[in-house]
Amino acid sequence: MALLPILEFPDPRLRTRAREVVEADFTPDFQQRIDDMFETMYDAPGIGLAASQVDFHLRFMVIDVSEDRSEPFVFINPRITAHAGTQVCQEGCLSVPGITADVKRHDRITVSALDRQGKAFELEADGLLAVCIQHEMDHLDGKLFVDYLSPLKQEMVRRRLSKQRRAHAA
């Protein structure tokens, strides 16, 4: 297994719309990429990681919102088929380190996807899991949680990250 570099905002590669995973993509290398993404996510530490965040632009993501890392999910070609309610949740992102903001999301969703073996499944999710799924799906469409912020707040995020990078490099 290997830790993968995570792209950071405002890297333009984060704006790439990921392509659908097709049957030919289910290779041993693809399975290794999934394992590497889990290792990277847990090490960061985070609760979700989209392939786009590690510069692999296929429509899949890994998620584990459990405290003890016991509920790993792989979602390949995820689609939200139903939703209800809304919630505002304080979100952060491995691609926007050290920054959080309130984002309005659906409170309950039904998502259909393929698992890591290519088998179709459907999952009803609410709370943190629902938020995480929506957040990671945004990445697959080239969208980040900062896109929900005002232009002024987006610029503040850019400046703060730039300052953090300069301090880290020094």
Side-chain angles (χ1 to χ4, degrees):
M1 295 222 261
L3 292 178
L4 304 170
I6 298 172
L7 301 178
E8 291 187 4
F9 177 76
D11 191 309
R13 294 172 290 178
L14 288 167
R15 300 305 184 173
T16 303
R17 185 173 171 84
R19 76 164 173 82
E20 293 281 317
V21 175
V22 297
E23 190 174 334
D25 292 320
F26 285 88
T27 65
D29 285 343
F30 180 72
Q31 297 300 321
Q32 184 62 54
R33 176 65 61 142
I34 291 170
D35 292 338
D36 292 345
M37 284 178 59
F38 272 115
E39 182 177 358
T40 301
M41 178 188 73
Y42 290 138
D43 182 71
I47 60 172
L49 186 65
S52 299
Q53 291 177 271
V54 291
D55 204 21
F56 194 65
H57 302 285
L58 290 178
R59 293 191 75 77
F60 73 98
M61 57 201 193
V62 298
I63 291 176
D64 188 343
V65 298
S66 69
E67 292 286 328
D68 61 356
R69 302 177 177 180
S70 63
E71 298 175 30
F73 286 103
V74 176
F75 295 89
I76 299 170
N77 298 335
R79 287 182 306 110
I80 294 175
T81 57
H83 57 81
T86 58
Q87 64 176 316
V88 174
C89 190
Q90 181 90 170
E91 291 188 26
C93 181
L94 297 177
S95 291
V96 190
I99 306 292
T100 60
D102 287 340
V103 178
K104 187 176 179 180
R105 301 276 188 187
H106 298 296
D107 185 47
R108 293 177 303 285
I109 61 170
T110 302
V111 61
S112 63
L114 303 175
D115 66 14
R116 70 182 300 158
Q117 283 76 39
K119 183 180 175 197
F121 71 96
E122 188 171 86
L123 177 74
E124 292 183 14
D126 61 7
L128 181 59
L129 180 57
V131 168
C132 189
I133 291 168
Q134 292 168 84
H135 176 106
E136 300 308 330
M137 285 181 68
D138 274 354
H139 279 298
L140 300 178
D141 290 327
K143 188 171 185 176
L144 285 88
F145 84 95
V146 295
D147 297 340
Y148 293 94
L149 305 178
S150 70
L152 177 62
K153 287 185 180 178
Q154 288 179 29
E155 184 56 32
M156 289 171 57
V157 168
R158 279 187 190 87
R159 287 183 186 163
R160 185 168 168 197
L161 288 174
S162 178
K163 185 177 179 180
Q164 286 175 359
R165 287 184 191 112
R166 284 193 308 271
H168 188 267

